[in-house]
Amino acid sequence: MAERLAILVGGGPAPGINSVINAVTIEAINNGLEVIGIYDGFEHLMKGRTDMVRPLGIADVSRIHTEGGSILRTSRANPTKNKEDVEKVVEALRKLNVKYLVTIGGDDTASSASAVSKAAGDSIRVAHVPKTIDNDLPLPGGMPTFGYETARHVGAELVYNLLQDSRTTNRWYFVVVMGRKAGHLALGIGKAASATITVIAEQFRKEKVSLAEVCDLLEAAIIKRRALGRNDGLAVIAEGIGEIMDENELASIPGVIVEKDPHGHIRLGEIPLATILKREIQRRFAERGEKMTIVDVTLGYELRCARPIPFDIDYTRTLGYGAVQFLLGKISSGMKDGMVCVDQGKITILPFEEFTDPKTGRSRVRLVDLNSEHYKVAKSYMIRLTKKDLEDPTMLAKLASAAKMTPQEFLEKFSKVAD
């Protein structure tokens, strides 16, 4: 009887998942393995169920690498909450005669895969293929996480269209972009599409910010844009701003309910951040007797299941191939489990522990480096209030006039957001 390899997908979707499934299946079968796909991540295995699976042959996967989504679906089920769930997962995998497991997912799925590997001992080898459109996993060589480049590409196209609408209708757009901890996707989209301003959590350089602080930054950009003769604009805002805002302040906003997912994260998709910011900015302008037209948009779900661009297809087929090569011992690493990465063009296996923050027990997060050339260039092309603006008497007068304030009033209100 052929040895059996299983594939499952956890966490949120990302372009390229099917490409990994394609490459793993073909490479495994070419090496004499039997392949099964497990539906809905760890959800059914946690309950001891072994019926939510399907056999995978080359004919089943031969053309899926160009398609978005996941033929095995996905879920955020977390077996690490209690020991019994992990044991049920291992027991179910053993009943399915699984010797090799390939998991595809982000940091939470990686943690679950590591826990399953430890509980299974030598009976099951595990390879994890890291994915997230957030690009926030510390991969070697600065490689992006798979799905990011496609999400940025599609997102930049959508934002470009909104920018044209903004110019045509002479109004502002607030576009919130997915990215829980890190602002890579928002910054990448904003930079590529030439957004007026991009706001990410990292730039505040502190753990918590208030709604007022975020709105001061946006309001200052809008006023500067007006002082330069333009009433239109588009702000790209990382949804991670909601993560660093005070939960009590968010919960106090009418219509906002703060909920958490199985991994303890705030469900940012349930926080209407773009609408919250829009209403506050509109309120501020109304106090000055002006009607401010802002359209709020949230981008995320449109990006996650997009058809992968060639970069991500190429990348993910290499990762899938590498996962099988590692599990079969053809890539020397000295480990029975690990994360499959590409470093300087070579397939590399990293231990799960290398991605774990010993203080929190969670995966380490790759944040936007504010000192990098990538960020400095992006920032230099944004419309942002600067200290140089405030030091120039002519510019300060224009800014104050656009805000319907005296120069001194403008300085008192906005000097703290100038950089």
Side-chain angles (χ1 to χ4, degrees):
M1 180 183 293
E3 293 180 329
R4 179 175 280 182
L5 178 148
I7 308 169
L8 65 78
V9 183
I17 290 174
N18 280 333
S19 183
V20 178
I21 296 171
N22 160 283
V24 169
T25 300
I26 293 173
E27 182 62 14
I29 290 174
N30 285 344
N31 279 275
L33 301 181
E34 179 184 351
V35 182
I36 62 170
I38 299 173
Y39 287 113
D40 308 314
F42 289 102
E43 181 178 337
H44 308 296
L45 298 177
M46 287 167 54
K47 301 170 184 175
R49 292 182 61 179
T50 58
D51 59 321
M52 295 298 289
V53 303
R54 62 173 288 187
L56 292 174
I58 291 178
D60 299 309
V61 304
S62 64
R63 306 313 303 165
I64 66 171
H65 59 289
T66 62
E67 299 301 323
S70 165
I71 65 167
L72 300 177
R73 302 193 295 264
T74 185
S75 83
R76 295 189 183 276
N78 178 11
T80 64
K81 280 191 168 183
N82 61 70
K83 186 179 179 181
E84 291 75 17
D85 286 343
V86 173
E87 291 173 348
K88 284 183 178 179
V89 170
V90 173
E91 181 182 356
L93 290 172
R94 285 175 176 157
K95 286 180 179 178
L96 289 166
N97 297 315
V98 171
K99 183 172 181 180
Y100 307 108
L101 175 66
V102 175
T103 57
I104 306 168
D107 54 351
D108 292 324
T109 306
S111 298
S112 297
S114 178
V116 168
S117 178
K118 287 181 173 63
D122 294 330
S123 64
I124 302 174
R125 294 195 67 186
V126 179
H128 180 71
V129 180
K131 67 108 178 85
T132 170
I133 65 172
D134 294 351
N135 196 31
D136 60 357
L137 295 178
L139 301 184
M143 283 294 289
T145 53
F146 88 72
Y148 165 75
E149 292 291 356
T150 297
R152 179 174 70 157
H153 175 83
V154 176
E157 289 290 313
L158 293 171
V159 168
Y160 171 81
N161 293 342
L162 295 177
L163 274 165
Q164 298 309 313
D165 193 277
S166 168
R167 295 187 186 106
T168 302
T169 59
N170 214 35
R171 61 188 177 188
W172 271 78
Y173 275 86
F174 283 0
V175 183
V176 168
V177 172
M178 279 187 171
R180 174 175 296 279
K181 294 290 186 181
H184 296 287
L185 185 56
L187 187 66
I189 289 173
K191 186 177 181 182
S194 298
T196 311
I197 183 173
T198 300
V199 183
I200 60 176
E202 290 93 328
Q203 71 187 75
F204 291 97
R205 301 178 187 271
K206 56 184 179 179
E207 292 185 2
K208 292 295 178 182
V209 298
S210 65
L211 174 62
E213 289 176 282
V214 180
C215 287
D216 285 347
L217 191 68
L218 290 168
E219 186 182 10
I222 293 169
I223 291 170
K224 181 173 178 178
R225 181 80 157 167
R226 288 187 169 192
L228 295 173
R230 296 281 293 274
N231 289 324
D232 63 295
L234 184 148
V236 172
I237 303 155
E239 73 168 353
I241 296 292
E243 179 92 355
I244 64 171
M245 288 178 66
D246 184 80
E247 287 185 34
N248 294 325
E249 183 177 19
L250 285 173
S252 69
I253 298 172
V256 175
I257 299 175
V258 178
E259 298 178 340
K260 296 190 177 182
D261 67 17
H263 292 276
H265 304 307
I266 292 177
R267 292 187 182 277
L268 293 177
E270 304 300 319
I271 305 296
L273 182 61
T275 303
I276 291 170
L277 296 173
K278 176 186 79 169
R279 289 175 178 171
E280 174 59 18
I281 293 296
Q282 287 177 327
R283 185 194 65 78
R284 294 183 177 200
F285 276 86
E287 285 185 345
R288 294 197 285 267
E290 294 185 57
K291 182 180 180 181
M292 180 72 184
T293 302
I294 303 172
V295 178
D296 57 293
V297 176
T298 298
L299 290 182
Y301 296 110
E302 300 90 339
L303 312 179
R304 304 194 307 174
C305 286
R307 295 184 64 170
I309 61 173
F311 174 91
D312 276 320
I313 294 175
D314 181 328
Y315 185 20
T316 49
R317 298 193 91 183
T318 300
L319 292 172
Y321 169 89
V324 176
Q325 291 284 302
F326 162 63
L327 291 174
L328 294 179
K330 297 184 178 183
I331 294 177
S332 179
S333 67
M335 297 178 286
K336 71 171 280 285
D337 60 20
M339 304 181 75
V340 186
C341 306
V342 174
D343 185 8
Q344 304 300 319
K346 294 183 178 180
I347 296 168
T348 304
I349 309 301
L350 297 180
F352 287 110
E353 292 73 20
E354 193 161 324
F355 282 78
T356 304
D357 185 336
K359 294 181 180 179
T360 64
R362 293 182 178 271
S363 293
R364 291 187 290 115
V365 177
R366 175 169 63 188
L367 300 174
V368 172
D369 181 0
L370 300 183
N371 295 315
S372 66
E373 295 298 326
H374 173 63
Y375 180 73
K376 289 178 180 178
V377 171
K379 184 178 175 182
S380 69
Y381 289 99
M382 297 179 197
I383 300 296
R384 300 168 63 109
L385 187 66
T386 67
K387 291 180 180 178
K388 185 178 179 181
D389 294 330
L390 303 182
E391 292 166 357
D392 181 342
T394 302
M395 186 60 183
L396 177 58
K398 288 182 179 180
L399 290 166
S401 176
K404 296 185 178 180
M405 297 178 174
T406 66
Q408 186 58 38
E409 288 173 336
F410 189 87
L411 282 171
E412 290 175 0
K413 181 169 179 57
F414 292 109
S415 61
K416 59 183 177 296
V417 299
D419 54 20

